[in-house]
């Protein structure tokens, strides 16, 4: 039988330093709420149950978590009386029984499932409590992990540490794994005899040691346990996440990033082998890019499926529902929304295509727009294969253009165009002899009068 694991995610902090109307843990890293990052890591580490302890905006927090884990249990910490008190808010989840208990913080979105798995492995090996530590550049202010012969003897708060202990750079990250069988007995022994009158999870180590239980620490990378308390720290965590993702793309996925630091990914961006991404590209959530595609500079892409060998941009915007089939092209200063381009279709420049389907090998000329919105409802434009849409065409949806049809430049298409037809919908040109010269003379006279008036005003 698989070993069971309960992860308790502490998400009840007020987050006042964020200066926000939203709960801190709902602020996003790579387009995903921090609490959802932590829940995802717990799940990948083998947690079959997730319990979230929330406070502010509790219903919104659990709703966010349940986008990924519908079975997530929810508990509310009515009073803020310390970390151990927060964990015990989920008492019912612990009492239901489990092999391992992981205690996580919803504002540490970079925690890696591999690290959590190592903590669980320590429990499997016989440890009763496994504390996750790290080595910060400056340990001042952090609790020190005091070890002897591989055992964790105590967590010493910085203010209580001796000079010798302050020289230790192995610090407490707060994340902890406990034996499911012994967790409640340990937690219930934690008291609040301290200056703040709070129940501290760190006291679990001393209690376990007194009971003769085995306590050990493992080391995580410092970036994994970086907490977010304000917008500056949120930006720093985002920067770290992006740096790691870019490196993964280049080394593990075979992606070429011309200027890595200028590319922004979302949490779920999927990139195929031999994709090339030029500078200043932003990937929002829900983007898949197929092998050999090229994303040119200054493009912004959200919710799009890009097939192999597609070219996008520069300066292109792809919105939700965009599908680009193999070999198709969306060129500079084009916007596509909820539309599909067939194989080898071309939308080269200065065009908007929304709520549309464009067939294979069709060419859409510069300045073409699909007029998809009538002020109340959206309507669809369907263009067949091998069609040619002349520049500066307005396609007033709902409308269709058949296979192999041609639409003349500057047309406003309000009726369906049959396959193989030529549609021209524009006024016939009229030339007025001498009218251009008259207009130019009128404009010169007006400019001269304006200059004369300005000169008089200056002299006055």
């Amino acid at each position: 039988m698989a070993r069971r694991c309960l992860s308790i995610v502490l998400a009840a902090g007020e987050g006042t330093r964020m200066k926000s109307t939203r709960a801190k843990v709902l602020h996003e890293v790579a387009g995903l709420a921090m609490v959802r990052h932590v829940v995802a890591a717990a799940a990948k580490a083998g947690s079959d149950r997730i319990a979230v302890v929330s406070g502010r905006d509790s219903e919104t927090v659990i709703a966010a978590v349940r986008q990924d884990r519908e079975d997530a249990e929810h508990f509310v910490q009515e009073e803020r009386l310390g970390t151990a008190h927060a964990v015990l808010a989920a008492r019912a989840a612990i009492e239901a029984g489990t092999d391992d208990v992981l205690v996580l913080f919803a504002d540490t979105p970079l925690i890696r499932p591999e690290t959590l798995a190592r903590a669980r492995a320590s429990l499997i090996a016989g440890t009763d409590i496994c504390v996750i530590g790290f080595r910060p550049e400056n340990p001042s202010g952090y609790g020190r992990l005091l070890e002897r012969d591989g055992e964790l003897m105590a967590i010493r708060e910085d203010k209580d540490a001796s000079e010798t202990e302050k020289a230790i750079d192995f610090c407490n990250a707060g994340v902890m794994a406990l034996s499911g069988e012994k967790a409640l007995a340990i937690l219930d022994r934690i008291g609040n005899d301290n200056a703040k009158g709070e129940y501290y999870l760190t006291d679990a180590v001393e209690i376990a040691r007194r009971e003769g239980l085995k306590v050990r620490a493992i080391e995580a990378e410092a970036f994994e346990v970086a907490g977010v308390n304000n917008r500056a720290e949120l930006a720093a965590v985002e920067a770290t996440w992006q740096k790691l993702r870019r490196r993964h793309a280049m080394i593990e996925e075979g992606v070429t990033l011309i200027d890595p630091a200028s590319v922004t990914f979302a949490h779920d961006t999927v990139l195929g082998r031999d994709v090339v991404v030029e500078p200043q590209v932003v990937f929002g959530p829900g983007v898949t890019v197929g092998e050999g595609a090229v994303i040119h500079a200054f493009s912004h892409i959200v919710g799009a499926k890009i097939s192999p060998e597609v070219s996008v941009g520069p300066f292109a915007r792809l919105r939700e529902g965009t599908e680009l089939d193999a070999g198709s092209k969306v060129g500079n200063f084009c916007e596509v929304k909820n539309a599909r381009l067939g194989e080898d279709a071309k939308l080269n420049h200065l065009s908007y295509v929304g709520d549309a389907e464009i067939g294979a090998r069709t060419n859409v000329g510069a300045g073409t727009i699909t007029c998809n919105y009538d002020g109340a409802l959206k309507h669809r434009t369907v263009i067949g294969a091998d069609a040619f849409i002349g520049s500066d065409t307005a396609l007033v949806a709902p409308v269709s253009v058949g296979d192999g049809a041609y639409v003349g430049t500057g047309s406003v298409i309000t009726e369906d165009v049959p396959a193989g037809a030529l549609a021209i919908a524009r006024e016939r040109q009229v030339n007025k002899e001498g009218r251009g010269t008259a207009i130019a003379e009128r404009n010169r006279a007006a400019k001269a009068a304006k200059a004369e008036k300005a000169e008089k005003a200056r002299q006055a």
Side-chain angles (χ1 to χ4, degrees):
M1 180 180 293
R3 191 176 177 91
R4 299 166 300 159
C5 180
L6 166 68
S7 282
I8 301 174
V9 181
L10 305 185
E14 288 292 332
T16 54
R17 283 179 281 176
M18 294 294 287
K19 304 279 194 296
S20 177
T21 58
R22 289 191 295 161
K24 175 175 70 171
V25 300
L26 295 178
H27 286 263
E28 297 177 343
V29 171
L32 189 72
M34 290 192 286
V35 65
R36 294 177 65 186
H37 278 279
V38 175
V39 168
K44 290 177 182 177
S47 297
D48 57 296
R49 292 168 57 210
I50 301 290
V52 177
V53 178
S54 64
R56 178 183 176 185
D57 297 334
S58 60
E59 292 305 318
T60 307
V61 170
I62 192 60
V65 170
R66 285 176 176 162
Q67 291 181 61
D68 308 310
R69 290 291 297 255
E70 293 182 359
D71 62 343
E73 302 168 60
H74 185 212
F75 303 91
V76 178
Q77 186 186 18
E78 300 291 352
E79 297 181 273
R80 310 293 184 268
L81 298 177
T83 48
H85 181 264
V87 174
L88 282 173
R91 175 184 291 275
I94 303 172
E95 288 177 338
T98 189
D99 295 307
D100 306 330
V101 176
L102 289 174
V103 179
L104 310 172
F105 294 87
D107 63 353
T108 57
L110 302 184
I111 189 72
R112 295 191 299 180
E114 295 84 356
T115 299
L116 300 179
R118 284 196 292 121
R120 292 192 64 200
S122 182
L123 297 182
I124 293 170
T127 301
D128 297 297
I129 296 180
C130 179
V131 174
I132 295 179
F134 71 114
R135 299 184 192 275
E137 291 184 8
N138 179 9
S140 178
Y142 292 105
R144 307 307 203 276
L145 300 183
L146 309 184
E147 296 179 294
R148 183 194 305 154
D149 299 327
E151 291 278 324
L152 180 62
M153 308 306 295
I155 301 176
R156 186 81 73 237
E157 293 304 320
D158 184 70
K159 63 181 183 300
D160 300 322
S162 67
E163 290 304 313
T164 300
E165 291 168 342
K166 285 184 177 181
I168 297 171
D169 65 352
F170 194 25
C171 298
N172 178 35
V175 182
M176 187 179 292
L178 301 94
S179 163
E181 181 183 353
K182 297 168 183 174
L184 272 180
I186 296 170
L187 293 167
D188 280 335
R189 287 184 174 86
I190 295 176
N192 65 341
D193 185 16
N194 52 64
K196 290 188 176 181
E198 294 187 350
Y199 299 85
Y200 296 129
L201 185 61
T202 51
D203 290 347
V205 172
E206 184 179 349
I207 291 168
R209 296 296 309 177
R210 286 203 304 262
E211 296 294 323
L213 301 178
K214 183 174 290 188
V215 185
R216 290 186 174 173
I218 63 169
E219 184 175 344
E221 297 281 354
F223 73 82
E224 293 183 68
V225 293
V228 173
N229 295 296
N230 54 49
R231 309 281 182 146
E233 291 175 350
L234 180 66
V237 166
E238 176 78 35
T240 300
W241 190 97
Q242 293 293 341
K243 183 178 180 180
L244 293 169
R245 181 65 183 88
R246 294 167 192 142
R247 180 177 175 81
H248 180 82
M250 292 184 287
I251 294 178
E252 303 297 334
E253 297 174 329
V255 173
T256 295
L257 304 180
I258 303 300
D259 180 16
S262 72
V263 176
T264 300
F265 291 114
H267 65 98
D268 58 353
T269 305
V270 177
L271 303 171
R273 185 173 50 187
D274 293 322
V275 165
V276 176
V277 182
E278 292 184 354
Q280 304 298 334
V281 171
V282 175
F283 294 97
V287 177
T288 299
V289 184
E291 291 188 2
V294 178
I295 311 300
H296 294 284
F298 295 96
S299 294
H300 189 282
I301 306 172
V302 177
K305 181 179 179 182
I306 300 170
S307 296
E309 306 301 328
V310 166
S311 175
V312 175
F315 295 96
R317 185 183 183 198
L318 305 184
R319 294 165 59 190
E320 290 84 353
T322 295
E323 293 187 36
L324 306 181
D325 288 352
S328 60
K329 179 181 179 181
V330 174
N332 51 288
F333 301 102
C334 290
E335 180 177 350
V336 182
K337 187 269 298 184
N338 191 31
R340 180 177 181 178
L341 271 66
E343 288 189 13
D344 297 315
K346 301 293 186 290
L347 182 71
N348 280 312
H349 30 233
L350 300 163
S351 295
Y352 168 72
V353 171
D355 299 295
E357 182 159 346
I358 298 174
R361 298 171 301 282
T362 285
N363 187 86
V364 178
T368 294
I369 60 172
T370 58
C371 308
N372 54 327
Y373 184 53
D374 65 6
L377 300 173
K378 299 289 181 69
H379 301 280
R380 197 157 184 83
T381 298
V382 178
I383 303 173
D386 300 300
F388 182 91
I389 309 299
S391 298
D392 202 27
T393 293
L395 298 155
V396 183
V399 70
S400 66
V401 177
D403 292 348
Y406 276 67
V407 174
T409 296
S411 293
V412 178
I413 301 299
T414 59
E415 299 178 4
D416 291 350
V417 180
L422 167 63
I424 304 173
R426 58 179 183 243
E427 290 288 338
R428 185 172 296 277
Q429 181 173 324
V430 177
N431 296 331
K432 302 290 186 179
E433 293 294 336
R435 184 66 64 83
T437 301
I439 291 172
E441 290 175 353
R442 182 197 66 189
N443 290 345
R444 281 194 293 270
K447 290 179 181 178
K450 182 178 179 181
E452 183 179 357
K453 183 178 179 180
E455 179 62 21
K456 287 179 178 179
R458 187 185 66 81
Q459 291 178 357

